[in-house]
Amino acid sequence: MKFTNPFKRRFTNKAWLPSSDYQPFLIVNGQVVKSASYATASTALKNSDIYSVVNLISADVSSCRFESDNDFLLHKLNAPNPVINSYNFWQSVTGALLLNGNAYVVMNLDASGRLHHFEQVTPPQVQIIVDDGEQNVNYKVTYYDNRGTVTVPAGQMLHFKLLSNLSDNKFIGVSPLQALVGDLNIQDKANDMALKSLNQAIRPNGVLSLAAGAVDPEAKENVRQEFEKANSGANAGRVMVMDATATYSTPQIDSNIANLLNSVSYTRNQVAKAFGVPQDFLNNESAHSNIDQVRSTYSQALNKYIYAISSELTMKLGVGIDLDMQPAIDPDYSQYASSISDLAKNDALEGVQATHILKAVGFIPADTPDFDVQNDPTKGGESK
């Protein structure tokens, strides 16, 4: 006779998680309250500094060259979608990663189960389902067409994320915008104050003071019209003649407005810091740095985003996927050629080796004849 365990669990719990760390609203006492710590991607892109950084990083990452021993997957990565070119597709994915801390790409399969194409979906379309014990993860995707809502297994979803292990939930990433909420609020208030101050300060073109004590409004208007008539039109630019009863002056903009405008530089530095790029890329020259240090710092920052993409691709596709950042940081190979030249000067490379290396990357045309020291036309001496 077989007995069943009455205490055995007959069900499994599932956790339904949001697709990003954003909390656009809170529910307090049954009322929907907008969260003060919320920064939307669409709002952030209206900030010129954030737009500049996101556009810079996403453009450079999408310029990187995919590398893999699997020719089939390499072709799919270089032609990810039938209606969007590779550059725009991966720039959009990287942009979503930077703004949301999460980017989602569904791997659509053909009838035989092989990868057909990639399709990006936005965080609002995705809900993460984690089974009890965290042994199984699925993604509930809501399409805006006749496909409706579909459950996509983790193996068919590329989920790129930032700082996932440091968030409240390790299955979702953290957006860099969350670190900029306070700074962006400061900048918005400073911009409003500066704009109001400028509007109030520059409204009058000049001040004409009369020494004749109290003057009724009609007399003031007559004086104003006569003064404007005498100094405008055909008389504009001519020498101004005034008697001792009137004094003309131009208003000065309050110097405190300049201090308000300086807050833009502060916020610019904070944006650069949040995304990990040198502030020099936002037209804020940093102290004690040269162009090589700036490039090196930017390359290190770019690597962090590249690894977030390449590691997810390697895991889900099952083969090694790398991204060569050479096209992004040194598209004309000038820095590379300079490094090879230094190695040759220090006898770390022979001249023939240096030439071969530079030909291999296309810096020197492949059909350039090799240098023959025995027949050097620039060499002095008697001709035979």
Side-chain angles (χ1 to χ4, degrees), residues 147-158:
R147 287 176 291 179
T149 300
V150 178
T151 299
V152 179
Q156 288 181 229
M157 175 69 80
L158 295 173

Side-chain angles (χ1 to χ4, degrees), residues 255-268:
S255 61
N256 289 330
I257 297 177
N259 295 330
L260 288 174
L261 296 177
N262 284 337
S263 65
V264 174
S265 296
Y266 165 77
T267 306
R268 184 171 295 157

Side-chain angles (χ1 to χ4, degrees), residues 57 60-61 64 97 162 275-277 295-311 322-326 328-329:
I57 297 176
D60 285 343
V61 171
C64 293
L97 177 64
L162 300 176
F275 285 93
V277 302
R295 285 175 176 171
S296 176
T297 303
Y298 178 67
S299 298
Q300 295 173 16
L302 205 61
N303 258 326
K304 294 181 292 187
Y305 301 109
I306 289 175
Y307 290 152
I309 293 175
S310 64
S311 61
D322 293 317
L323 282 91
D324 180 10
M325 62 190 303
Q326 181 73 38
I329 62 174

Side-chain angles (χ1 to χ4, degrees), residues 287-359:
H288 311 298
S289 64
N290 56 44
I291 186 64
D292 292 331
Q293 291 174 331
V294 172
R295 285 175 176 171
S296 176
T297 303
Y298 178 67
S299 298
Q300 295 173 16
L302 205 61
N303 258 326
K304 294 181 292 187
Y305 301 109
I306 289 175
Y307 290 152
I309 293 175
S310 64
S311 61
E312 178 72 3
L313 288 172
T314 297
M315 176 184 176
K316 296 296 176 65
L317 296 179
V319 297
I321 304 291
D322 293 317
L323 282 91
D324 180 10
M325 62 190 303
Q326 181 73 38
I329 62 174
D330 187 21
D332 60 356
Y333 286 92
S334 58
Q335 297 176 51
Y336 184 74
S338 178
S339 300
I340 296 299
S341 176
D342 290 340
L343 291 173
K345 289 178 182 178
N346 295 323
D347 297 326
L349 288 174
E350 294 289 341
V352 175
Q353 291 176 307
T355 302
H356 175 76
I357 293 172
L358 294 178
K359 279 186 176 182

